[in-house]
Amino acid sequence: MSGEQELGITESKEHATGEWYAELVQKAGLADYAPMGGFIVTRPRGYAIWERLKNHLDGWFKQTGVQNAYFPMFIPESYLEKEKDIVEGFDPEVAWVTKGGYDELEEQLAVRPTSESIITPFLAQWTRSHRDLPIRVNQWCSVVRWEATETKPFFRTKEFLWQEGHTAHHDEEDAVEEMETRLGQYKRLYEDVLAMPVLSGRKPDHDKFPGAHTTTTVEALMPDGKSVQGGTSHYLGTSFAEAYDVTYVDEDEEVKTAHTTSWGLSWRALGALFMTHSDDQGLVLPPTLAETQVVIVPIWDEDSKDDVLAYAEDVEADLEDAGVRVELDDRDHRNPGFKYNEHELNGVPLRIEIGSYEVADDELTLVHRPDGEEITVERDNVAETVEDHLDTIFAKLYASAEETLEGEIREAESREEILGTIGQHGGYVKCGWCGDEACEEPIKDAIAAEIVMVPKDRDEEPIHDECAICGDEAEETAYFAKTY
């Protein structure tokens, strides 16, 4: 097989989504599979995208009172056991360390599946007076959940990167506002940075975070009709504060129990990004996250080489001065066609082609990565022109994802309609629901779809009067979907 054949994607996104995604991740240089099942190696290109995502979110956190910290990756079993719902919810997924060197440990240590049980005790230590609240800490780290049976890079791995925020507040009102703030920032991340519209809602009570009062979620729809839980924000009530004694003395010298929250977003957001926008030519990235936003490909023959390269270097300098992340691909040993294919595979949003005609006419040829649109523009004001085209490319990506989402939200009034609609079309099906977990089971058992969310407002009237499954009075609207 030649180098050019090996370079490209051979699977079809539409007809073999799983195989296409696995090939995309490896050939676009995002990740490799580790020797242990369930783990991946994140390559520099993949990690650079994560860093850019992280920088956006981290900046917003800091603007809203959050400070970064770091806590041990090992959690004593006795700490984990203080909150019974955490134990019951995560115990099947916990990896345990029982030896240090040759010695058995006196107490086995959990490799963190989440950090409430190691962070909350320190929130308790740091909280004495009402003046100490609110406390907001966040850590960027990895967690381990021994659940993944089939490795799907960035979607399902035993170890994954994420951020987890933990806060303590005077009362429920402040804590709920915190939960909503973080959910809003996750929604903003998807829509303003990843170019992906999302639905926001609340998890049904049987699927909320262990020990939480309320779990809110942003859900992203993939092109194959499955939903991705894009980030969650939890109001934990006082359950964790009671378990770990997070109390404070209020203005009246009374001891009160704090209200806490936790919220997290993982690199699953990257998986959703790659799957949403990429195509059979390779990776497609919004300019906000692309390591290289613009690639300049000079096209020359022996007579025009010096003039073309000088012209291209001037364009590169203007773009660099304007803060555009630009690369001039002047490799001698690769022809322009190979370069086009390689940069398309790697997800560069905008290509500038410069040949002798462009030099003679004082022009540039721009090519948009998402749809291959080709535009001839004047050389003058290149930085402003390129910024406008990068904005256009972002808008194209968002519009395409929005069109997918809007066409994939349907209604149903019976079990048969739910099964038929999801079975045929995928996407979201909303229906009346009585609130009983048992009514989810017939759908889950038949087609592996589940209730991914309900409206955030508990008082919102259901769209139908009756539960689509059992026929009892509907308490709220449920959104069913298959999931990653």
Side-chain angles (χ1 to χ4, degrees):
M1 182 179 284
S2 75
E4 291 201 32
Q5 286 177 310
E6 290 174 0
L7 182 69
I9 303 292
T10 61
E11 298 288 352
S12 164
K13 180 179 181 180
E14 181 180 356
H15 301 296
T17 306
E19 293 81 357
W20 164 84
Y21 181 79
E23 190 178 16
L24 170 78
V25 164
Q26 290 187 284
K27 288 192 172 178
L30 302 171
D32 279 322
Y33 293 88
M36 321 81 72
F39 294 83
I40 62 170
V41 174
T42 310
R43 297 184 62 181
R45 180 173 294 114
Y47 197 80
I49 299 167
W50 174 246
E51 285 183 312
R52 292 195 182 282
L53 180 155
K54 174 181 171 180
N55 289 341
H56 283 281
L57 205 50
D58 199 59
W60 301 337
F61 290 163
K62 288 171 180 171
Q63 289 167 10
T64 47
V66 180
Q67 294 179 301
N68 283 337
Y70 188 79
F71 294 81
M73 69 182 295
F74 298 123
I75 303 173
E77 185 177 20
S78 58
Y79 275 56
L80 208 60
E81 288 179 340
K82 282 187 179 180
E83 217 296 325
K84 63 179 178 61
D85 289 322
I86 278 282
V87 175
E88 292 172 5
F90 284 101
D91 195 48
E93 303 171 6
V94 175
W96 294 98
V97 177
T98 58
K99 291 179 69 174
Y102 296 113
D103 300 324
E104 294 287 337
L105 300 181
E106 289 184 13
E107 180 179 13
Q108 63 178 355
L109 302 174
V111 182
R112 61 175 169 235
T114 182
S115 297
E116 280 76 7
S117 52
I118 191 69
I119 292 178
T120 312
F122 287 91
L123 298 184
Q125 286 187 35
W126 303 335
T127 306
R128 290 290 176 266
S129 162
H130 62 91
R131 297 181 186 87
D132 297 325
L133 297 176
I135 294 177
R136 298 181 177 95
V137 296
N138 174 69
Q139 70 171 349
W140 294 91
C141 62
S142 71
V143 292
V144 172
R145 296 181 185 174
W146 217 264
E147 59 170 341
T149 52
E150 180 186 348
T151 308
K152 194 175 192 68
F154 305 109
F155 280 109
R156 189 166 295 279
T157 51
K158 288 185 170 73
E159 180 188 24
F160 54 89
L161 297 180
W162 77 344
Q163 60 73 214
E164 51 176 320
H166 300 265
T167 69
H169 304 264
H170 296 99
D171 54 31
E172 177 176 353
E173 183 180 355
D174 286 352
V176 169
E177 184 179 344
E178 178 77 17
M179 174 188 72
E180 293 283 3
T181 295
R182 304 310 158 197
L183 191 75
Q185 289 174 332
Y186 294 155
K187 189 172 191 290
R188 178 184 175 189
L189 180 78
Y190 276 93
E191 296 185 345
D192 294 356
V193 179
L194 278 67
M196 294 171 58
V198 291
L199 300 178
S200 56
R202 173 172 53 87
K203 287 294 183 183
D205 285 345
H206 64 266
D207 194 31
K208 63 189 180 183
F209 181 79
H213 177 280
T214 302
T215 290
T216 57
T217 180
V218 289
E219 299 285 328
L221 185 68
M222 297 298 97
D224 62 357
K226 292 182 181 179
S227 185
V228 171
Q229 179 179 290
T232 51
S233 184
H234 319 284
Y235 166 52
L236 302 175
T238 57
S239 60
F240 283 85
E242 288 166 358
Y244 297 98
D245 197 27
V246 187
T247 58
Y248 66 96
V249 178
D250 71 6
E251 293 95 328
D252 299 323
E253 298 298 315
E254 290 185 25
V255 177
K256 297 285 183 69
T257 301
H259 292 248
T260 64
T261 77
S262 66
W263 24 277
L265 180 139
S266 79
W267 69 12
R268 184 179 289 180
L270 295 188
L273 171 78
F274 302 150
M275 184 168 283
T276 296
H277 297 312
S278 301
D279 58 25
D280 289 353
Q281 281 68 55
L283 185 64
V284 177
L285 293 173
T288 43
L289 291 177
E291 187 176 13
T292 301
Q293 296 172 308
V294 178
V295 62
I296 301 170
V297 180
I299 307 160
W300 67 75
D301 55 27
E302 192 173 333
D303 295 333
S304 64
K305 182 176 181 178
D306 290 344
D307 289 341
V308 167
L309 282 178
Y311 188 90
E313 286 165 1
D314 284 346
V315 172
E316 178 191 29
D318 284 358
L319 293 177
E320 284 182 342
D321 289 345
V324 176
R325 300 189 292 276
V326 59
E327 174 190 338
L328 171 59
D329 188 349
D330 57 0
R331 291 175 292 174
D332 268 330
H333 66 289
R334 293 298 189 190
N335 63 44
F338 182 92
K339 294 176 184 179
Y340 296 167
N341 290 334
E342 183 177 60
H343 294 297
E344 286 180 1
L345 175 64
N346 293 338
V348 179
L350 181 66
R351 183 170 76 241
I352 299 178
E353 299 173 6
I354 296 174
S356 55
Y357 290 115
E358 281 80 9
V359 174
D361 296 337
D362 209 24
E363 293 177 340
L364 302 167
T365 298
L366 308 186
V367 182
H368 292 189
R369 171 64 183 89
D371 57 3
E373 182 181 1
E374 189 173 304
I375 310 103
T376 301
V377 300
E378 293 182 0
R379 162 68 177 85
D380 289 344
N381 303 315
V382 63
E384 186 178 325
T385 300
V386 162
E387 292 284 6
D388 287 344
H389 280 269
L390 292 176
D391 289 344
T392 299
I393 289 167
F394 186 97
K396 284 180 176 180
L397 293 176
Y398 189 91
S400 176
E402 186 175 45
E403 184 179 354
T404 298
L405 175 61
E406 288 177 349
E408 295 295 336
I409 303 175
R410 302 176 177 88
E411 293 185 16
E413 295 190 55
S414 68
R415 174 182 177 274
E416 290 71 28
E417 280 188 24
I418 297 170
L419 294 174
T421 303
I422 294 178
Q424 182 178 356
H425 302 288
Y428 298 107
V429 171
K430 55 182 183 177
C431 62
W433 178 49
C434 64
D436 188 342
E437 180 183 359
C439 283
E440 183 185 53
E441 294 305 317
I443 309 300
K444 188 180 284 189
D445 292 344
I447 57 170
E450 61 191 65
I451 299 172
V452 296
M453 65 173 228
V454 295
K456 276 194 296 180
D457 183 358
R458 293 177 184 269
D459 296 326
E460 183 177 316
E461 290 293 321
I463 59 167
H464 300 130
D465 295 333
E466 296 181 354
C467 175
I469 294 89
C470 71
D472 288 351
E473 182 180 354
E475 296 291 331
E476 52 193 349
T477 300
Y479 286 72
F480 279 90
K482 293 184 177 182
T483 64
Y484 274 103

